[in-house]
């Protein structure tokens, strides 16, 4: 034992809480070669207890118990609240394990079915039953199922939003299917002397696909009822392995078709220069998710190959090379080996398509860089033309300002000359008025000094007023700037006053 009793007890307690239902519905098959009887039925907890009590007294050649989740055969049918749990109660589990002395290592591995688990093949001798073979293993599988979600909901669903995790399902948009994975835990006990076998199977597949879940158990029922191999204990292993190998082939075929669709799309996009990197980013995420899943597929198929090899070695002493069972096992091993080679081929193909995608993204980036360079060249050219226009406008503005300055000088000159002659002409016109013209004193030529006395001071006063007014207008902006600077310095030196006033 690799684990102690306490660890196994804790694991089983968690298993009963999270994965076992309160009700029991176990699919049971019993076949007796000597009596020629065959019976299959769904049994509840009470029937299971009665059945196990009866089998204690007289064992059938074959006793098979299949434990599944709640099978949803019709969406309109009512579903129990614990439909996601296995249809087996904790009491029924204890009845089964105690009746058939199920290995503790298998019971410890059951709650950890989603983690990598090994397998066990034991053969020992019992005083009553002779040689007894106990075997248990976990069969990982992937199946393709019709897509149940709308296209947009894959990005928001719990598992669809993280398809990079290979333990979640993988959506293939072009194929319109989902690749879903799960495990089948198989416990097998064979008593050589009495040629009787017991199988306890736990299928952890989602109950939405009852046809897939029931396929191996229906095949076993048909084989036990009609086949000549009824007494051959290797039959159960062959049916499970061949069924799962076919599931794998179908799933990998869809993955291959999806990869081909991506490759064709990338080849077609090479001619379309309008393809954006946003589309390539979505393709990149999908391809990286597929790469993670395909890598995980290789690990799971390697586990199946190991199981088939261990089973072949375990049964080898009882079969010679010409026996049909040995031949069938070799064929299964060959099929699993070919499937593993196909997975490795898909891994290489995924890497090649990713390389092609990166090449297309690089080409798109190069095209964008060239387009950006052309656009920048056009912008620079336009900027140069604008600078030339601006330079021309500046030259014209300078010429205009020079002309305005000349006009200003001319106007100023005219104004000064006008101001010089205005008092003289004004007083001359005033003294020439009829009121003064009749005055003999003022009309005397010797009285010209009166005009001079009036004209000279008035001209001086006009020039003084002009000077004072001009100086005031020139100094006014300077005073405003000085006042602003003083206010700024005052506010900076007294921040407390500024804050209190605010």
């Amino acid at each position: 034992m690799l684990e102690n009793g306490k660890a196994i007890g804790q694991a089983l307690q968690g298993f009963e809480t999270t994965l076992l239902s309160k009700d029991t519905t176990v699919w049971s098959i019993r076949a007796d070669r000597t009596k020629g009887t065959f019976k299959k039925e769904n049994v509840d907890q009470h029937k299971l207890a009665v059945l196990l009590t009866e089998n204690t007294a007289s064992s059938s050649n074959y006793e098979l118990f299949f434990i599944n989740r709640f099978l949803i055969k019709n969406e309109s049918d009512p579903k129990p609240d614990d439909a996601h749990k296995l249809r087996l109660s904790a009491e029924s589990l204890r009845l089964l394990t105690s009746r058939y002395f199920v290995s503790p290592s298998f019971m410890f591995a059951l709650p950890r079915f989603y983690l990598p688990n090994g397998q066990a093949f034991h053969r020992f001798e019992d005083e009553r039953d002779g040689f007894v073979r106990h075997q248990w293993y976990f069969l990982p599988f992937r199946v393709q199922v019709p897509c149940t979600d709308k296209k947009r909901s894959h990005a928001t669903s719990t598992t669809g939003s993280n398809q990079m995790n290979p333990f979640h399902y993988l959506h293939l948009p072009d194929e319109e299917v989902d690749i879903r994975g799960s495990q089948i835990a198989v416990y097998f006990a064979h008593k050589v002397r009495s040629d009787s076998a017991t199988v306890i199977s736990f299928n952890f597949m989602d109950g939405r696909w009852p046809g897939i879940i029931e396929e191996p158990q229906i095949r076993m029922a048909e084989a036990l009822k009609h086949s000549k191999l009824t007494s051959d204990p290797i039959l159960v292993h062959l049916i499970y392995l061949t069924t799962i190998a076919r599931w794998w082939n179908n799933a990998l075929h869809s993955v291959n078709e999806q990869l081909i669709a991506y490759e064709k799309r990338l080849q077609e996009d090479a001619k379309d220069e309008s393809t954006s990197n946003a589309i390539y980013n979505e393709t990149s995420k999908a391809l990286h998710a597929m790469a993670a899943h395909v890598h995980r597929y290789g690990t799971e198929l390697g586990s199946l190959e190991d199981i088939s090899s261990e089973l072949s070695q375990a049964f080898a002493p009882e079969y010679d090379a010409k026996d049909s069972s040995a031949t069938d096992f070799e064929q299964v091993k060959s099929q699993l080996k070919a499937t593993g080679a196909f997975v490795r081929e898909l891994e290489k193909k995924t890497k090649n398509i990713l390389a092609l995608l990166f090449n297309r993204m690089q080409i798109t980036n190069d095209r964008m860089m060239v387009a950006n360079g052309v656009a920048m060249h056009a912008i620079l050219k336009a900027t140069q033309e604008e600078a030339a226009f601006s330079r021309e406008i500046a030259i014209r503005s300078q010429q205009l300002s020079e002309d305005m300055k000349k006009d200003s000088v001319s106007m100023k000159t005219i104004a000064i000359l006008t101001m010089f002659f205005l008092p003289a002409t004004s007083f001359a016109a005033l003294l020439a008025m009829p009121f003064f013209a009749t005055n003999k004193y003022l009309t005397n030529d010797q009285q010209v000094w009166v005009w001079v006395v009036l004209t000279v001071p008035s001209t001086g006063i006009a020039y003084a007023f002009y000077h004072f007014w001009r100086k005031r207008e020139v100094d006014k902006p300077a005073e405003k700037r000085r006042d602003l600077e003083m206010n700024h310095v005052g506010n900076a030196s007294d921040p407390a006053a500024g804050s209190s006033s605010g």
Side-chain angles (χ1 to χ4, degrees):
M1 280 297 299
L2 298 179
E3 300 291 342
N4 56 37
K6 183 178 180 181
I8 296 174
Q10 290 175 346
L12 285 177
Q13 185 176 3
F15 182 63
E16 293 175 359
T17 303
T18 58
L19 282 172
L20 292 187
S21 172
K22 296 179 181 179
D23 303 320
T24 297
T25 304
V26 176
W27 214 67
S28 169
I29 299 177
R30 298 185 302 281
D32 193 324
R33 179 176 56 87
T34 58
K35 297 180 181 179
T37 60
F38 173 84
K39 188 174 182 180
K40 63 176 181 178
E41 60 181 335
N42 282 323
V43 297
D44 57 15
Q45 182 170 320
H46 175 70
K47 279 188 176 182
L48 181 64
V50 173
L51 180 64
L52 295 180
T53 304
E54 291 176 353
N55 289 346
T56 304
S58 60
S59 298
S60 303
N61 286 101
Y62 269 88
E63 298 172 327
L64 294 89
F65 301 95
F66 300 94
I67 297 118
N68 308 314
R69 300 181 192 263
F70 182 80
L71 301 183
I72 304 173
K73 297 187 177 181
N74 192 339
E75 289 292 337
S76 61
D77 291 342
K79 305 175 187 63
D81 295 335
D82 58 353
H84 63 285
K85 295 184 177 181
L86 296 171
R87 312 318 293 168
L88 185 72
S89 66
E91 184 177 350
S92 298
L93 177 66
R94 287 190 285 270
L95 284 173
L96 273 173
T97 54
S98 60
R99 164 67 180 84
Y100 295 107
F101 305 101
V102 176
S103 169
S105 59
F106 177 70
M107 299 306 298
F108 180 74
L110 266 182
R112 303 152 57 90
F113 71 93
Y114 51 88
L115 296 175
N117 286 299
Q119 56 263 357
F121 299 89
H122 304 296
R123 178 173 172 149
F124 58 91
E125 188 171 0
D126 185 77
E127 293 181 0
R128 187 185 67 176
D129 299 321
F131 282 108
V132 179
R133 181 186 292 109
H134 282 250
Q135 301 164 333
W136 66 263
Y137 49 82
F138 284 75
L139 296 172
F141 65 89
R142 302 279 168 157
V143 294
Q144 62 173 15
V145 296
C147 176
T148 57
D149 296 329
K150 295 181 179 179
K151 291 183 179 180
R152 293 185 179 179
S153 65
H154 285 285
T156 57
S157 64
T158 304
T159 52
S161 59
N162 189 19
Q163 293 192 49
M164 288 298 295
N165 187 341
F167 291 99
H168 293 165
Y169 77 88
L170 177 66
H171 175 63
L172 305 179
D174 291 270
E175 296 298 299
E176 296 184 349
V177 296
D178 295 334
I179 305 299
R180 294 186 177 265
S182 190
Q183 299 263 356
I184 296 178
V186 178
Y187 182 80
F188 177 83
H190 177 227
K191 299 175 182 178
V192 178
R193 181 177 297 173
S194 60
D195 194 22
S196 61
T198 301
V199 177
I200 303 175
S201 170
F202 294 83
N203 193 329
F204 295 96
M205 183 66 182
D206 195 316
R208 287 179 290 175
W209 296 279
I212 295 173
I213 295 172
E214 292 181 332
E215 180 181 347
Q217 55 200 55
I218 291 174
R219 286 188 62 195
M220 288 184 195
E222 292 176 350
L224 290 173
K225 189 174 182 180
H226 303 292
S227 176
K228 296 179 180 179
L229 299 176
T230 303
S231 62
D232 194 343
I234 206 172
L235 175 68
V236 174
H237 308 294
L238 285 174
I239 290 177
Y240 265 126
L241 289 173
T242 54
T243 301
I244 287 178
R246 189 176 69 258
W247 289 348
W248 271 107
N249 283 334
N250 293 338
L252 294 176
H253 174 73
S254 295
V255 172
N256 184 50
E257 291 297 316
Q258 182 63 56
L259 287 174
I260 292 173
Y262 280 135
E263 188 172 15
K264 285 182 178 179
R265 194 173 304 149
L266 289 174
Q267 295 289 358
E268 292 171 357
D269 289 344
K271 304 174 183 178
D272 186 4
E273 297 185 2
S274 63
T275 305
S276 65
N277 270 341
I279 298 175
Y280 286 146
N281 288 336
E282 290 298 321
T283 305
S284 176
K285 286 193 289 186
L287 285 172
H288 277 91
M290 292 184 73
H293 280 257
V294 170
H295 187 73
R296 178 63 191 173
Y297 297 168
T299 303
E300 294 179 354
L301 279 166
S303 174
L304 286 176
E305 289 186 54
D306 292 341
I307 291 171
S308 65
S309 297
E310 291 285 349
L311 287 170
S312 178
Q313 293 176 9
F315 286 97
E318 301 174 22
Y319 302 98
D320 56 34
K322 297 180 181 180
D323 191 276
S324 61
S325 296
T327 304
D328 292 340
F329 241 120
E330 290 301 319
Q331 184 178 353
V332 171
K333 289 168 61 178
S334 175
Q335 177 64 50
L336 291 175
K337 185 177 180 180
T339 306
F342 187 34
V343 169
R344 290 189 290 274
E345 178 186 334
L346 291 178
E347 281 192 88
K348 292 180 181 179
K349 180 179 287 189
T350 306
K351 291 179 181 179
N352 291 338
I353 297 175
L354 279 170
L356 177 61
L357 173 65
F358 294 149
N359 177 262
R360 293 291 175 262
M361 294 179 72
Q362 185 63 45
I363 291 174
T364 302
N365 290 335
D366 292 344
R367 288 172 178 169
M368 291 177 63
M369 289 181 64
V370 172
N372 290 339
V374 173
M376 286 300 298
H377 177 72
I379 291 172
L380 290 174
K381 187 176 180 180
T383 304
Q384 291 175 351
E385 293 176 354
E386 185 179 357
F389 289 142
S390 299
R391 198 162 47 246
E392 183 68 21
I393 291 172
I395 294 172
R396 296 294 179 86
S397 299
Q398 183 180 3
Q399 292 176 352
L400 181 60
S401 63
E402 290 176 356
D403 293 340
M404 290 177 66
K405 185 176 181 181
K406 291 178 182 178
D407 292 342
S408 176
V409 171
S410 301
M411 294 297 294
K412 188 176 181 181
T413 303
I414 294 172
I416 292 174
L417 290 175
T418 302
M419 188 169 52
F420 179 78
F421 287 103
L422 185 60
T425 55
S426 298
F427 283 111
L430 182 64
L431 292 175
M433 293 177 64
F435 177 76
F436 296 102
T438 57
N439 192 320
K440 293 182 179 181
Y441 179 79
L442 292 176
T443 56
N444 191 348
D445 294 338
Q446 295 180 358
Q447 306 301 326
V448 71
W449 61 270
V450 176
W451 175 79
V452 173
V453 169
L454 292 173
T455 300
V456 172
S458 299
T459 304
I461 292 170
Y463 274 103
F465 179 78
Y466 166 76
H467 179 72
F468 170 76
W469 185 267
R470 183 173 177 276
K471 186 175 182 303
R472 179 184 175 188
E473 293 298 321
V474 170
D475 293 343
K476 188 181 292 184
E479 290 178 0
K480 288 183 178 180
R481 286 196 299 271
R482 193 160 47 251
D483 291 340
L484 289 174
E485 290 175 359
M486 292 297 292
N487 291 334
H488 178 71
V489 171
N491 292 334
S493 62
D494 191 8
S499 62
S500 63
S501 63

